[in-house]
Amino acid sequence: MPDISFYIQEFVNLLEPFNWFFISYFLFVNLIYIGLVWVSYFYIQSQQNYSHVYKLTGLFRSELYKPVSILSPAYNEEANIISSVEALLQIKFPDFEVIVINDGSTDSTLEKLKDHFELYPIDRPANLPIDHKPIRNVYKSNRYTELLVIDKENGRKADALNAGVNMSSKELICAIDADSILDPDVLMKLLRAFVENENVVAVGGIVRVANGCKIEDYIVKEVGMPKSFLGRIQAVEYLRAFLFGRVGWDYFNSLLIISGAFGVFDREAVLKVGGYLHDTVGEDMELVVRLHRHFREEKESYNIRFLPEPVCWTEVPTDWEVLGKQRNRWQRGLADSLWRHRKMLFNPRYGRLGLLAMPYFVFVEMFGPIVELLGFTYFFAILALGNLDSTFVLLFFTVAVMLGMVLSVSAVLCEEFTYRRYSSIKDVATLTLYAFIENIGYRQIHTWWRFKGLIDFFKGKKEWGEMIRKGFADEATGSEEKESAETTEKRKTNKEESPSLLQKMKPLRYWSVIALVTFLLGYLVVEVLTAHQLLPDFTQIWDQMIS
């Protein structure tokens, strides 16, 4: 019976004709990302220079602003709901309302809202141009006249947003997640896009990691570094994806994604295309692509923008399993949105969207995990066979790992040269370190999550997946809102419950993979450089020294 090395050799022989394809793919993708980072850097600088002369206070006096309805769907968000809504109510904007949609929560989300905001039921007739699950009750607040709470049957996030769109009374709608906190002046900054161009129908803003930040009175007072490994890795990811990836696509007028955590839309435009779709887990991206498609096909002037300065803060997962489910859902949502609108692919009717953005997102973001997984597997198979002096090994390591590190570090440095949200040198140094670490171990695990998400999409999986929130209470140092006795007791009970052996082993498995990949890559670097005579032979040097 052949040993395992036989099967590894057969696998290597099978993929050997594709080794230059793997190298070309990683080189192409990372160079595109690096190009987007630098395009975004100069674009952001020009935007900053323009912002300095843009007088927002004078703009408000001229009454050119549009009123906004802030929609916050909430399902089992008892950990964050009070701090999030309080932050929304402190936004600096002359005309807005906050609509919280309790989407059939099974925890104490609604009870907390009732108690804290002194809610009372009202009869409010609603125009219902968009279908959604039945509304049970509508509440107003004795404390805040601009707060409206909708209690409805569970229909998932898109259904809840549609209920909010129906109940909204303003020209613009701002959709955010219930676990998010907005900067007080965020709407004032977003307003600029709608005033500069009357054809703007949607604007996205940057989402940043709230873990580790100092939060007082429901406002982020000081930006800090997350304490967990996963939190820090995601801080780098969010910088690269939001601050520079999406800014770059905005520069080319080809933005396909506005994060569901934070986006502002023209209400009439949303109604024209039928609101959010119910049968997808990527309702945020799907709506943006559908808006593009609608206005292109109708040959109407429009614009969809992304502004990097308005900031939304969100709690990111610090558990491997929860993070894996989130990335799986993101990949399914991406694939679903692209598949629904595949007509746009390579279609000149849609301009840059059809000829540039759609091909990139289909072949890099959607099918990329397949190529990356095969490439890394082939790479490690060659290592297992001991072919350390292979030209492929050196080139693949350079374009897949080293260029990935350059990309992540570039994103961190560009953030430091532009907005400088992290004021501490220690924080910047930590981010830079994790920009290197991200590419060794974590990236390979992340590729696997995305690959599983793509497979689940082809299987037709539509489940949202439960997201466990720890809440901002651990970060807040000045909030008056504390945990209720019931929630505290529940946490104590959960601590007393002993986790199973598999639950205890799960983080260990992930860390073992990262440690193994780190060791192998470190060993590989030394061996490859020595094989190619790029490092001295330390054995000979040692023999000469002792002789």
Side-chain angles (χ1 to χ4, degrees), residues 439-508:
N439 291 273
I440 304 176
Y442 173 80
R443 181 178 179 183
Q444 289 73 35
I445 295 173
H446 187 261
T447 298
W448 172 248
W449 288 335
R450 293 172 61 208
F451 175 76
K452 286 180 63 180
L454 189 61
I455 297 301
D456 287 341
F457 163 72
F458 287 124
K459 289 181 178 179
K461 185 178 179 181
K462 299 286 186 179
E463 287 78 10
W464 182 266
E466 185 178 358
M467 295 292 108
I468 301 173
R469 309 290 186 186
K470 293 185 177 180
F472 295 120
D474 294 336
E475 315 293 345
T477 57
S479 289
E480 296 177 1
E481 181 64 32
K482 302 298 180 182
E483 292 182 303
S484 66
E486 179 182 353
T487 305
T488 303
E489 185 64 29
K490 188 183 296 183
R491 288 191 176 184
K492 288 180 180 178
T493 304
N494 290 340
K495 288 181 181 179
E496 292 171 0
E497 295 177 358
S498 178
S500 66
L501 180 61
L502 286 177
Q503 290 173 325
K504 291 180 179 179
M505 290 293 292
K506 187 164 290 185
L508 181 61

Side-chain angles (χ1 to χ4, degrees), residues 5 19 21 38 49 53 65 80 82 144 161-162 176 195 213 216 271 275 297 369 371 387 412 437 477 491 524 527:
S5 61
N19 55 10
F21 170 74
W38 290 107
N49 294 334
V53 298
Y65 63 86
N80 281 333
I82 300 302
Y144 298 96
L161 286 170
N162 284 338
I176 74 160
V195 175
C213 295
E216 294 181 358
L271 292 176
E297 292 176 353
V371 180
N387 297 331
V412 172
I437 295 175
T477 57
R491 288 191 176 184
L524 164 71
E527 290 294 328

Side-chain angles (χ1 to χ4, degrees), residues 33-185:
Y33 273 130
I34 292 173
L36 283 175
V37 167
W38 290 107
V39 167
S40 302
Y41 170 68
F42 293 107
Y43 187 44
I44 289 174
Q45 280 197 324
S46 66
Q47 293 289 311
Q48 284 182 315
N49 294 334
Y50 188 72
S51 296
H52 292 322
V53 298
Y54 205 83
K55 306 298 183 181
L56 286 174
T57 54
L59 181 66
F60 284 129
R61 284 196 296 268
S62 65
E63 298 184 353
L64 291 176
Y65 63 86
K66 292 183 178 181
V68 181
S69 296
I70 303 175
L71 312 182
S72 180
Y75 176 74
N76 290 351
E77 296 284 356
E78 63 180 8
N80 281 333
I81 192 64
I82 300 302
S83 58
S84 178
V85 176
E86 282 283 3
L88 294 178
L89 292 166
Q90 297 182 42
I91 287 176
K92 298 175 182 177
F93 200 73
D95 189 357
F96 73 98
E97 65 178 352
V98 175
I99 302 177
V100 180
I101 308 101
N102 179 51
D103 191 38
S105 297
T106 57
D107 63 0
S108 61
T109 298
L110 183 60
E111 286 70 25
K112 283 193 169 187
L113 288 168
K114 286 180 177 179
D115 294 340
H116 183 84
F117 295 106
E118 301 175 10
L119 301 181
Y120 61 91
I122 64 167
D123 293 325
R124 179 172 175 177
N127 180 28
L128 302 177
I130 308 174
D131 292 333
H132 54 73
K133 293 285 186 178
I135 293 176
R136 297 167 181 163
N137 287 295
V138 180
Y139 300 91
K140 289 287 289 182
S141 171
N142 279 320
R143 295 181 56 193
Y144 298 96
T145 59
E146 60 269 33
L147 175 62
L148 183 73
V149 176
I150 302 171
D151 180 32
K152 61 178 288 293
E153 295 181 7
N154 179 260
R156 300 203 306 186
K157 183 180 177 181
D159 190 80
L161 286 170
N162 284 338
V165 173
N166 280 334
M167 298 291 287
S168 64
S169 60
K170 309 298 183 181
E171 293 182 52
L172 303 178
I173 56 171
C174 175
I176 74 160
D177 285 345
D179 63 330
S180 302
I181 292 179
L182 299 181
D183 280 351
D185 59 350

